[in-house]
Amino acid sequence: LQFDAIRLPRYAPYLAAALPGGRISEGTLSGSAHYRVVLDEQGVPAVQVDADALALRDFALLLKGGESPAVKVPALDLRAATVDLGTQRVSVGGVEATGAAVSLVRLKNGDIDLLASLLPPAASTKGRRTAPAPDGPEWVVTVDKLALKGASMRFEDRSVGRPVVTAVDDIDFELEGFSTEKGTVLQFKLDSRLNKRGKVAASEPLTLAPMKADLRLDLRTVDLLPLQPYVLAQTKIAISRGNLST
């Protein structure tokens, strides 16, 4: 199966359930994939889907009521992806995104607008029986290599007395050996610019389950003034100027 420049906004009605608080305003998807179905001795089908390559271009996600995209991805490429329903494994050879931009707002009630808009509200369990956990192994997701190049993020916190805006750009991020299996050690490297002046970099191994890290952190001229609203919320100390380096 091959497809080229499929316009995602045309399929918005089919994606509405997955994006309850937003919509895809732009974006095309190209790639190639194939599937295989094998029946075992009991006649149960084992389905495997392979995608040799997927290319997402000029993607934009708008939240309801928003005028500018909350998520923009000019280019994202995925290679060597496999979804095996029988073994419940998802494996990806590589993911690379260029120029991705995310805008987040923490509302006064503490919710993050993007997450609150896209995640379905928790269903009430009052008077309902809790469904038993499904039998079989848990799903395992592995990604050999993930790379973000020239990414950026804007975060506005409206939960404090005076809103705080944090901008991180020039983000270059590399991750190798990701897996949801317990005990997996992955390697990552991060370089970024904070609020146009500061630099934040980190590297070295990381274990997700259980969480364990031995990080090498590099901070340079990180401005402390934007932290003033958080300091005032806990103390009567005022920050007039200053920066932090390690």
Coordinates of all heavy atoms in Angstrom, one line a residue, residues 154-189:
R154 N 6.7 27.1 23.8 CA 6.3 28.3 24.6 C 5.3 27.8 25.7 O 4.3 27.2 25.4 CB 5.6 29.3 23.7 CG 5.2 30.6 24.4 CD 4.5 31.5 23.5 NE 4.2 32.8 24.2 CZ 3.1 33.1 25.0 NH1 2.3 32.1 25.2 NH2 2.9 34.3 25.5
F155 N 5.6 28.2 26.9 CA 4.8 27.7 28.1 C 4.4 29.0 28.9 O 5.2 29.7 29.4 CB 5.6 26.8 29.0 CG 4.8 26.3 30.1 CD1 3.8 25.4 30.0 CD2 5.1 26.7 31.4 CE1 3.0 25.0 31.1 CE2 4.4 26.3 32.5 CZ 3.3 25.4 32.3
E156 N 3.1 29.2 29.0 CA 2.5 30.3 29.7 C 1.8 29.7 30.9 O 0.9 28.9 30.8 CB 1.6 31.1 28.9 CG 1.0 32.3 29.6 CD 0.1 33.2 28.8 OE1 0.0 32.9 27.6 OE2 -0.6 34.1 29.3
D157 N 2.2 30.2 32.1 CA 1.7 29.7 33.4 C 0.8 30.8 33.9 O 1.2 31.8 34.4 CB 2.8 29.3 34.4 CG 2.2 28.6 35.6 OD1 1.0 28.6 35.8 OD2 3.1 28.1 36.4
R158 N -0.5 30.5 33.9 CA -1.5 31.5 34.4 C -2.0 31.1 35.8 O -3.0 31.7 36.3 CB -2.7 31.6 33.5 CG -2.3 32.0 32.1 CD -3.5 32.0 31.1 NE -3.2 32.4 29.8 CZ -4.0 32.4 28.7 NH1 -5.3 31.9 28.9 NH2 -3.6 32.7 27.5
S159 N -1.4 30.1 36.4 CA -1.9 29.6 37.7 C -1.3 30.4 38.9 O -1.7 30.3 40.0 CB -1.5 28.2 37.9 OG -0.1 28.0 38.0
V160 N -0.3 31.3 38.6 CA 0.4 32.1 39.6 C -0.2 33.6 39.5 O -0.9 33.9 38.6 CB 1.9 32.2 39.4 CG1 2.5 30.8 39.8 CG2 2.3 32.5 38.0
G161 N 0.1 34.4 40.5 CA -0.4 35.7 40.6 C -0.2 36.5 39.3 O -1.1 37.2 38.8
R162 N 1.1 36.5 38.8 CA 1.4 37.2 37.6 C 1.8 36.1 36.6 O 2.8 35.4 36.8 CB 2.5 38.2 37.8 CG 2.8 39.1 36.6 CD 3.9 40.1 36.9 NE 5.2 39.4 37.2 CZ 6.2 40.1 37.7 NH1 6.2 41.4 38.0 NH2 7.4 39.4 37.9
P163 N 1.2 36.1 35.4 CA 1.5 35.0 34.5 C 3.0 35.0 34.1 O 3.6 36.0 34.0 CB 0.6 35.4 33.2 CG -0.5 36.1 33.8 CD 0.0 36.9 35.0
V164 N 3.5 33.8 33.9 CA 4.9 33.6 33.6 C 5.0 33.0 32.2 O 4.3 31.9 32.0 CB 5.6 32.7 34.6 CG1 7.1 32.5 34.2 CG2 5.6 33.4 36.0
V165 N 5.8 33.5 31.3 CA 6.0 33.0 30.0 C 7.4 32.5 29.9 O 8.4 33.2 30.1 CB 5.7 34.0 28.9 CG1 6.0 33.4 27.5 CG2 4.2 34.5 29.0
T166 N 7.6 31.2 29.5 CA 8.9 30.6 29.3 C 9.0 30.1 27.9 O 8.1 29.5 27.4 CB 9.1 29.4 30.3 OG1 8.9 29.9 31.6 CG2 10.5 28.8 30.1
A167 N 10.1 30.6 27.2 CA 10.3 30.2 25.8 C 11.6 29.4 25.7 O 12.6 29.8 26.1 CB 10.3 31.4 24.9
V168 N 11.4 28.2 25.1 CA 12.6 27.4 24.9 C 12.7 27.2 23.4 O 11.7 26.7 22.7 CB 12.5 26.0 25.6 CG1 13.8 25.2 25.4 CG2 12.2 26.2 27.1
D169 N 13.8 27.5 22.7 CA 13.9 27.3 21.3 C 15.3 26.7 21.0 O 16.1 26.4 21.9 CB 13.7 28.6 20.5 CG 14.6 29.7 20.9 OD1 15.6 29.5 21.7 OD2 14.4 30.9 20.5
D170 N 15.6 26.6 19.7 CA 16.9 26.0 19.3 C 17.0 24.6 20.0 O 18.2 24.2 20.3 CB 18.1 26.9 19.6 CG 18.1 28.1 18.7 OD1 17.3 28.1 17.7 OD2 18.8 29.0 19.0
I171 N 16.0 23.9 20.1 CA 16.0 22.6 20.8 C 16.5 21.5 19.8 O 15.9 21.3 18.8 CB 14.6 22.1 21.3 CG1 14.1 23.2 22.3 CG2 14.7 20.8 22.0 CD1 12.7 22.9 22.8
D172 N 17.6 20.9 20.2 CA 18.2 19.7 19.5 C 18.2 18.6 20.5 O 18.8 18.7 21.6 CB 19.6 20.0 19.0 CG 19.6 20.9 17.8 OD1 18.5 21.0 17.1 OD2 20.6 21.6 17.5
F173 N 17.4 17.5 20.2 CA 17.3 16.4 21.2 C 17.5 15.1 20.4 O 16.9 14.9 19.4 CB 15.9 16.5 21.8 CG 15.5 15.4 22.7 CD1 16.0 15.4 24.0 CD2 14.8 14.3 22.3 CE1 15.7 14.3 24.9 CE2 14.5 13.3 23.2 CZ 15.0 13.3 24.5
E174 N 18.3 14.2 21.0 CA 18.5 12.9 20.5 C 18.3 11.9 21.6 O 18.7 12.1 22.7 CB 19.9 12.8 19.9 CG 20.2 13.6 18.7 CD 21.6 13.4 18.2 OE1 22.3 12.6 18.7 OE2 21.9 14.1 17.2
L175 N 17.6 10.8 21.2 CA 17.3 9.7 22.2 C 17.6 8.4 21.5 O 17.1 8.2 20.3 CB 15.9 9.8 22.7 CG 15.4 8.8 23.7 CD1 14.4 9.4 24.6 CD2 14.8 7.6 23.0
E176 N 18.3 7.5 22.1 CA 18.6 6.2 21.5 C 18.2 5.1 22.5 O 18.4 5.2 23.7 CB 20.0 6.1 21.2 CG 20.5 7.1 20.1 CD 21.9 6.8 19.6 OE1 22.6 6.0 20.3 OE2 22.4 7.5 18.7
G177 N 17.6 4.0 22.0 CA 17.4 2.8 22.8 C 16.1 2.9 23.7 O 16.1 2.3 24.7
F178 N 15.1 3.7 23.3 CA 13.9 3.8 24.1 C 13.1 2.6 24.1 O 12.9 1.9 23.1 CB 13.0 5.0 23.6 CG 11.7 5.1 24.3 CD1 11.6 5.7 25.5 CD2 10.6 4.5 23.7 CE1 10.4 5.8 26.2 CE2 9.4 4.5 24.4 CZ 9.2 5.2 25.6
S179 N 12.6 2.2 25.3 CA 11.7 1.0 25.4 C 10.9 1.2 26.6 O 11.4 1.7 27.7 CB 12.5 -0.3 25.4 OG 11.6 -1.4 25.7
T180 N 9.6 0.7 26.6 CA 8.8 0.8 27.8 C 9.0 -0.5 28.7 O 8.4 -0.6 29.7 CB 7.3 0.8 27.4 OG1 7.0 -0.4 26.5 CG2 7.0 2.1 26.6
E181 N 9.9 -1.4 28.3 CA 10.2 -2.5 29.1 C 11.0 -2.0 30.3 O 11.9 -1.2 30.3 CB 11.0 -3.5 28.3 CG 10.2 -4.3 27.3 CD 11.0 -5.3 26.6 OE1 12.1 -5.0 26.0 OE2 10.6 -6.5 26.6
K182 N 10.7 -2.6 31.5 CA 11.3 -2.2 32.7 C 12.8 -2.5 32.7 O 13.3 -3.5 32.1 CB 10.7 -3.0 33.9 CG 9.2 -2.6 34.2 CD 8.7 -3.4 35.4 CE 7.3 -3.0 35.7 NZ 6.7 -3.7 36.9
G183 N 13.6 -1.5 33.3 CA 15.0 -1.7 33.4 C 15.8 -1.3 32.1 O 17.0 -1.3 32.2
T184 N 15.1 -0.8 31.1 CA 15.8 -0.4 29.9 C 16.6 0.9 30.1 O 16.0 1.9 30.7 CB 14.8 -0.2 28.7 OG1 14.2 -1.4 28.4 CG2 15.6 0.3 27.5
V185 N 17.8 1.0 29.8 CA 18.6 2.2 29.9 C 18.7 2.8 28.5 O 19.2 2.2 27.6 CB 20.0 1.8 30.4 CG1 20.9 3.1 30.6 CG2 19.9 1.2 31.8
L186 N 18.3 4.1 28.4 CA 18.4 4.8 27.2 C 19.4 5.9 27.3 O 19.7 6.4 28.4 CB 17.0 5.3 26.8 CG 16.3 6.2 27.8 CD1 16.6 7.7 27.6 CD2 14.8 6.0 27.6
Q187 N 19.9 6.4 26.2 CA 20.8 7.5 26.1 C 20.1 8.7 25.4 O 19.4 8.5 24.5 CB 22.0 7.1 25.2 CG 22.8 5.9 25.7 CD 23.6 6.2 27.0 OE1 24.0 7.3 27.2 NE2 23.9 5.1 27.8
F188 N 20.4 9.9 26.0 CA 19.8 11.0 25.4 C 20.8 12.2 25.5 O 21.7 12.3 26.3 CB 18.5 11.4 26.1 CG 18.6 12.2 27.3 CD1 18.4 13.6 27.3 CD2 18.8 11.6 28.5 CE1 18.5 14.3 28.5 CE2 18.9 12.3 29.7 CZ 18.8 13.7 29.7
K189 N 20.5 13.2 24.6 CA 21.3 14.4 24.6 C 20.4 15.6 24.3 O 19.6 15.5 23.3 CB 22.4 14.3 23.6 CG 23.3 15.5 23.5 CD 24.4 15.3 22.5 CE 25.3 16.6 22.3 NZ 26.3 16.4 21.3

